[in-house]
């Protein structure tokens, strides 16, 4: 990793896309002493110049759904290695999930994570706190203490509170602190031991199916509870057509409900599971083509507002077991920009570059109330430079993650982040 | 390799080896009609061994076969064991409880250890779908699937096809009903793949909770009305009702199941006289099949068991030979 530290840098002649300021034009971005300078400010003599001709200069990308595995599972990933993978993927801010060991359900664990991030991470690592104690879905977590310790949202990600009363009260309580609740939408009784999408392929392969309704039901529950409580709910990693339908309807009525899509759910279908390769096993599972089409439609019409990875590293030996016994999840940080640009912008033309940038910057920043995702003068200079036309091949062996569990090894993609800057400092450059 | 004169090699019409190239048998879904026919022809040749004075041929002499049954089984394990004995293999029987799997060793590591002991063939029974394929991709040894989760049970379907072919003279054009818990049945899946490829018309019958509609994409017919089908069937294959499923509310009671889908005496009387009654065992007398019907002259349930031996001999022989190049 090169380290181009410069007090002042001029990102010159790129297409600057800053949706928060309605800026989309060829131009320059000047960084003075680590913060973004006003447009047209004088360029000091010793300023380093980065030629961005033909490239996109955007606010630093935000991935609000990653698993960095610390504390407790540092063989899979560490905050430091996950941050390096984030930087290489074009991300300047990542939001880590609390299903660690122990889970991030107390102020002390939040402090530990944030301190470790400050000391070791090359990008900004923000923490979420558990919504229920131990992510067990039985008692409310100490939400006030978590807020004080610095969490940016609450979630039981990986699990889902089944008790609607507890969910309702946790939402009401979270509202007092202005915290968003992010929910992994899964109804346990419908999903049972499901390990893949319930449909033709699960039937042929003899694997327990996870019906789309198992997600849709909880998205509908969340629509009702977001309306009842007024607390915003963000539905994570949506995979099912009915979820998009429910979300669209709720948003049209003004309910504070949002949703995200992960790249694997639009890049792959359940037909990929024919070889029982556990690198295609994630939760929620890969679904059939009609669900993929519904997600694309939801992205196109603005129902889905946020893109994220659900970066979920696992050790090789953990994944190299019988399919139903393998852990859920795949790597995402280094492939998500390429996959989404390739599929959403180039191949399927579902959104343009500006929308792509919005979904990774201003939208997640607004949801979580972050002072990020913009190139407004005076904000810390978190900047991503993208080459939307670059063709490259995914190589898991060069990943910065400690894990290798990606189904995309060898994929040829169009579009990649080439330069990542955090607070004016280059943290990664291709 | 050759037979001693006592074992009359001329009577073993061993098919041309080059037509079988698979070191493993993990399922029937990918097999061609030719491969299925080759397996059945080879089994027919091996069936004669069981009726001889000396019930043994040296096809696997000096080879080590591991019967690795991670999920409990009696009839399939015994059948494979006897098949391997008749082929003169050295045999090790392993169950999950007697292995290091209970100490947390992974399936892959356990299997690699078996291979390090020069196991030539591993017969695997496992509760996880895809387990046989998982090992086949990672080991040099031949892997024979003796049932993986709800996925496939290829030798059971081969013995079903063998029995039908022997009794009916062929399979093309026959109407076969598979009745019962299709959703969780690996036997049903393998039967479907084999019978469709061999030209049968296959109808799946059972409660709507246990007959997945998606399977119609494979080319099978679906029905919830057994009575309407009875007069047209050439073969009726009754699957075992898995009592443990009951608690999960797939149907209200065993009594209701029997009244809708059991092969009762009254239903059996409406079958054509030459319709074969099959069951993969173990049978629940009085639940999916009436006790007298199970023992009636058109029941071929015990013939299936006998034919299972020949089929498993054929599978073990062909997979080992494809791997080692040692053909009879």
């Amino acid at each position: 990793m090169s380290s181009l530290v410069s007090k002042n840098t001029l990102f010159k002649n790129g297409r600057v896309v800053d949706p928060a300021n309605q800026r989309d034009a060829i131009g320059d971005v000047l960084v003075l002493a680590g913060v973004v300078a006003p447009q047209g400010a004088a360029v000091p003599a010793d300023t380093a110049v980065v030629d961005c001709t033909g490239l996109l200069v955007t606010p630093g990308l935000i991935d609000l759904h990653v698993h960095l595995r610390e504390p407790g599972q540092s063989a899979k990933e560490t905050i430091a290695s996950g941050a390096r993978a984030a930087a290489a993927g074009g991300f300047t801010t990542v939001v880590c999930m609390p299903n660690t060991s122990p889970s991030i359900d107390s102020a002390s664990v939040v402090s530990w994570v944030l301190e470790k991030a400050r000391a070791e991470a090359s990008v900004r690592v923000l923490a979420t706190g558990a919504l229920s104690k131990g992510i067990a879905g039985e008692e409310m977590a100490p939400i006030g203490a978590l807020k004080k310790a610095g969490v940016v949202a609450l979630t039981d990600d990986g699990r889902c509170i089944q008790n609607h009363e507890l969910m309702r009260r946790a939402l009401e309580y979270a509202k007092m602190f202005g915290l968003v609740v992010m929910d992994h939408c899964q109804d346990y009784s419908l999903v049972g031991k499901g390990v893949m999408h319930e449909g033709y392929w699960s039937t042929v392969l003899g694997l327990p199916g996870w019906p789309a309704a198992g997600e849709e039901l909880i998205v509908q529950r969340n629509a009702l509870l977001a309306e009842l409580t007024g607390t915003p709910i963000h539905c994570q990693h949506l995979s099912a057509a009915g979820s998009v339908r429910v979300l669209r309807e709720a948003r049209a009525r003004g309910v504070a409900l949002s949703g995200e899509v992960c790249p694997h759910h639009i890049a792959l279908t359940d037909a990929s599971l024919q070889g029982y390769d556990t690198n295609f096993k994630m939760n929620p599972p890969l679904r059939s083509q009609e669900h993929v089409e519904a997600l694309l439609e939801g992205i196109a019409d603005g129902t889905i507002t946020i893109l994220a990875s659900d970066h979920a590293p696992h050790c090789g030996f953990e994944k190299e077991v019988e399919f139903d016994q393998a852990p859920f999840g795949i790597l995402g940080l280094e492939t998500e920009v390429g996959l989404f640009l390739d599929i959403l912008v180039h191949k399927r033309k579902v959104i343009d570059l500006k929308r792509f940038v919005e979904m990774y910057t201003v939208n997640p920043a607004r949801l979580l109330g972050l002072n990020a995702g913009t190139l407004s003068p005076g904000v810390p200079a978190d900047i991503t430079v993208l080459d939307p036309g670059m063709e490259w091949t995914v190589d898991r062996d060069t990943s910065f993650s400690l894990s290798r569990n990606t189904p995309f090894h060898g994929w040829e993609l169009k579009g990649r982040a080439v330069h990542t800057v955090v607070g004016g400092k280059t943290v990664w450059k291709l | 390799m050759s037979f001693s004169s006592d074992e009359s090699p001329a009577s073993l019409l061993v098919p041309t080896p080059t037509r079988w190239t698979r070191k493993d048998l993990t399922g029937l879904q990918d097999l061609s009609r030719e491969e299925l026919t080759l397996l059945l022809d080879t089994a027919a040749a091996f069936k004669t061994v069981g009726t001889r004075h000396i019930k043994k041929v040296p096809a696997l002499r000096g080879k080590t076969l591991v019967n690795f049954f991670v999920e409990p089984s009696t009839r399939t394990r015994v059948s494979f064991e006897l098949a391997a004995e008749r082929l003169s293999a050295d045999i090790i029987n392993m169950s999950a409880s007697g292995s290091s799997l209970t100490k947390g060793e992974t399936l892959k590591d356990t299997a690699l250890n078996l291979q390090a002991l020069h196991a030539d063939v591993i017969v695997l029974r496992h509760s996880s779908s895809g387990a046989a394929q998982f090992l086949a991709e990672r080991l040099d040894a031949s892997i024979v699937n003796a049932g993986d989760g709800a996925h496939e049970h290829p030798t059971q379907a081969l013995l079903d096809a063998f029995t039908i072919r022997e009794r009916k003279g062929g399979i093309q054009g026959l109407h076969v009903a598979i009745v019962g818990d299709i959703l969780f049945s690996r036997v049903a899946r393998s039967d479907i793949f084999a019978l469709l490829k061999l030209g049968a018309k296959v109808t799946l019958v059972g409660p709507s909770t246990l007959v997945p509609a998606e399977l119609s994409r494979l080319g099978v017919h679906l029905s919830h009305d057994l009575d309407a089908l009875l007069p047209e069937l050439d073969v009726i294959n009754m699957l075992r009702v898995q009592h443990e499923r009951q608690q999960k509310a797939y149907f209200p009671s065993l009594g209701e199941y029997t009244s809708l889908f059991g092969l009762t005496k009254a239903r059996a009387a409406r079958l054509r006289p030459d319709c074969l009654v099959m069951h993969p065992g173990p049978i629940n007398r009085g639940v999916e099949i009436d006790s007298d019907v199970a023992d009636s002259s058109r029941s071929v349930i015990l013939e299936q068991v006998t034919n299972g031996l020949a089929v498993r001999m054929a599978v073990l022989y062909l997979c080992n030979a494809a791997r080692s190049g040692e053909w009879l």
Side-chain angles (χ1 to χ4, degrees), chain A residues 358-390:
Chain A
E358 274 172 24
M359 295 178 82
Y360 264 129
T361 57
V362 64
N363 292 357
R366 278 187 189 146
L367 178 76
L368 301 177
L370 307 179
N371 182 29
T374 145
L375 296 174
S376 301
V379 302
D382 293 357
I383 295 170
T384 301
V385 182
L386 299 165
D387 183 346
M390 176 182 284

Side-chain angles (χ1 to χ4, degrees), chain B residues 309-326:
Chain B
L309 259 176
V311 158
R312 290 179 177 121
M313 288 171 78
V315 168
L316 295 176
Y317 162 65
L318 288 172
C319 290
N320 178 67
R323 190 196 75 258
S324 65
E326 294 165 25

